[in-house]
Amino acid sequence: MATASAIIRRAMRLICALAASETPAAAEQADALESLNAMLDAWRNESLSVYALRDETLTLTGAASYTIGTGGALTTTRPVKIEAAFQRVGDTDYPLRLASAIAWSELAEKSSTTSDVSDWLYFETSYPLGKLWLYPTPTAGVLHLTTWTPLAAFAAADEVALPPGYQDAITYHLAIRLAPEYGRPVTPEVAALAKDAKDGLRRVNFRAPVMATG
C-alpha cells in the first residue's frame, strides 16, 4: 500500500532534500502534495493515468451478465481493467479465470448453461457501463473483483494500492519535479530510472480503441 506521505519522503530523499531519518515539515509536505497531484493531472494530457486497485463485491442473482459503472448493477467508478476475481459461495471461494475477448467468443451457449459455481469471467469494456459476463451462469453467491480504477488525486494519509510499477514512476518523477524547489541536482541514475518507469506506464496505458455497445 502506498501513501502520499511515503512517496513524498522517498522523493525528497532521492534528491537529498531529506536525510534517511528525517520527515518533511508540514509546509513542505503540503507543497509536495500539491506538486504530486498537479503531476498526476498533467500526466492525463500525455494519455497516462494512475490507477488504484480496488476491491468490489456484487451479490449474484442468477443473471448471465451485470453492468458495472455509475448507475450499473455494480454501481462504482467504471474500471479500466479487472486484475482478479473469485466467486464466494457460503464460506468457500472459487477463483475465476479471466477470459480474453477471443476466448469468450469461442465459448458456446454462454447464457443458457447454469451452475452453482462459474469458471470464467469476461469484462466487456463497453461505455459508459461495462459488462461482467460469467460462465457458466452462476445461480447464487457473491462476486469479488479486484479492479483498476482511475485515481484522481492523493490525500496525504490515504493508503492506496497501486498496480506494479506505478509507485516507482510516481516517486522518481516527483523527485525530478521537487528538485528545483530545493536547489538540488537530479542525478543521472534518478533521471534514467524515472524514464524507464514512465516508459513502463506508457506500455500499460496504451490500449486499442474500444467500440461502445448498446
Side-chain angles (χ1 to χ4, degrees):
M1 301 286 280
T3 64
S5 298
I7 289 171
I8 288 166
R9 287 197 303 272
R10 185 180 170 208
M12 293 179 70
R13 289 198 303 268
L14 286 169
I15 56 172
C16 298
L18 280 182
S21 59
E22 291 181 322
T23 57
E28 292 174 327
Q29 175 91 2
D31 289 346
L33 180 62
E34 184 178 355
S35 293
L36 169 59
N37 286 325
M39 181 183 76
L40 298 184
D41 183 64
W43 281 9
R44 285 193 283 271
N45 289 332
E46 303 177 44
S47 298
L48 289 174
S49 293
V50 176
Y51 302 106
L53 294 177
R54 177 183 290 178
D55 293 324
E56 310 274 11
T57 60
L58 173 68
T59 299
L60 301 171
T61 62
S65 67
Y66 301 85
T67 52
I68 181 171
T70 303
L74 176 47
T75 184
T76 183
T77 303
R78 177 186 173 278
V80 298
K81 179 181 177 181
I82 294 177
E83 179 75 9
F86 65 89
Q87 180 189 353
R88 177 168 292 167
V89 181
D91 296 326
T92 305
D93 294 339
Y94 300 90
L96 297 170
R97 288 178 285 180
L98 303 179
S100 66
I102 294 174
W104 185 252
S105 69
E106 293 174 348
L107 287 174
E109 305 295 333
K110 296 182 182 66
S111 60
S112 61
T113 304
T114 61
S115 175
D116 291 340
V117 177
S118 293
D119 295 320
W120 291 92
L121 171 73
Y122 170 57
F123 176 41
E124 180 185 320
T125 54
S126 48
Y127 188 85
L129 294 176
K131 271 190 178 180
L132 303 168
W133 294 87
L134 292 154
Y135 177 86
T137 300
T139 54
V142 178
L143 178 64
H144 289 251
L145 303 173
T146 301
T147 63
W148 287 38
T149 304
L151 178 66
F154 273 102
D158 287 350
E159 289 192 345
V160 179
L162 297 169
Y166 277 78
Q167 188 168 339
D168 262 3
I170 293 169
T171 302
Y172 281 104
H173 280 274
L174 180 61
I176 292 171
R177 277 192 166 233
L178 294 178
E181 296 184 30
Y182 290 92
R184 300 286 181 172
V186 176
T187 66
E189 292 80 8
V190 168
L193 287 167
K195 180 181 182 303
D196 288 347
K198 198 171 188 181
D199 286 347
L201 293 197
R202 287 195 177 95
R203 289 190 292 272
V204 170
N205 276 269
F206 175 77
R207 292 182 301 275
V210 176
M211 182 182 295
T213 60

